[in-house]
Amino acid sequence: APAVMGLGGEVKKKLRETRKAVIDVSGATEISGPHIQLMRASSTIRNPYVDSINLVQAEILKVLRSMPEDDSPALSPELKEIKRLREDALKLSIKGIAQGMRNSG
């Protein structure tokens, strides 16, 4: 167990040395500087698009939940088709949000 404890101390020391070296080489003031800025920028770009899809998704869910269940006699063939189209739209909204998150972090 003491050898493992020494290893942990060595790993921490190497981590500190590596961080210092990265800062020295890059001229940054902190190790995550440019990455944090990039994440903020991509979030700023992404949010208006993803947020609007999210609002549409919430509305689709609200409408779907108000529709009769699939086995209900109140679900006419026409209403069943409308429900299917709304379910497809919901799936597309989920894919759209996932794609937006993947493309921009």
Side-chain angles (χ1 to χ4, degrees):
V4 174
M5 297 299 283
L7 180 63
E10 182 67 22
V11 169
K12 288 179 184 177
K13 179 182 172 203
K14 292 288 184 190
L15 178 61
R16 285 191 299 273
E17 291 171 358
T18 303
R19 284 182 175 167
K20 184 180 180 324
V22 169
I23 289 171
D24 290 346
V25 168
S26 68
T29 56
E30 61 181 59
I31 198 152
S32 62
H35 302 292
I36 296 298
Q37 292 170 355
L38 179 61
M39 291 296 287
R40 284 188 189 128
S42 54
S43 178
T44 301
I45 292 166
R46 175 190 69 222
N47 283 347
Y49 299 101
V50 173
D51 288 350
S52 60
I53 295 172
N54 204 343
L55 290 173
V56 169
Q57 184 182 61
E59 188 61 30
I60 293 168
L61 276 170
K62 181 177 140 187
V63 171
L64 278 171
R65 288 179 178 158
S66 71
M67 295 182 83
E69 294 294 324
D70 288 341
D71 58 355
S72 170
L75 192 65
S76 67
E78 181 182 315
L79 198 53
K80 188 173 187 172
E81 177 64 13
I82 292 170
K83 186 174 182 180
R84 186 191 65 75
L85 290 171
R86 289 184 177 149
E87 288 168 343
D88 287 348
L90 178 63
K91 290 173 191 172
L92 284 173
S93 72
I94 292 168
K95 288 179 182 178
I97 291 171
Q99 190 66 39
M101 300 296 283
R102 184 172 31 253
N103 287 344
S104 60

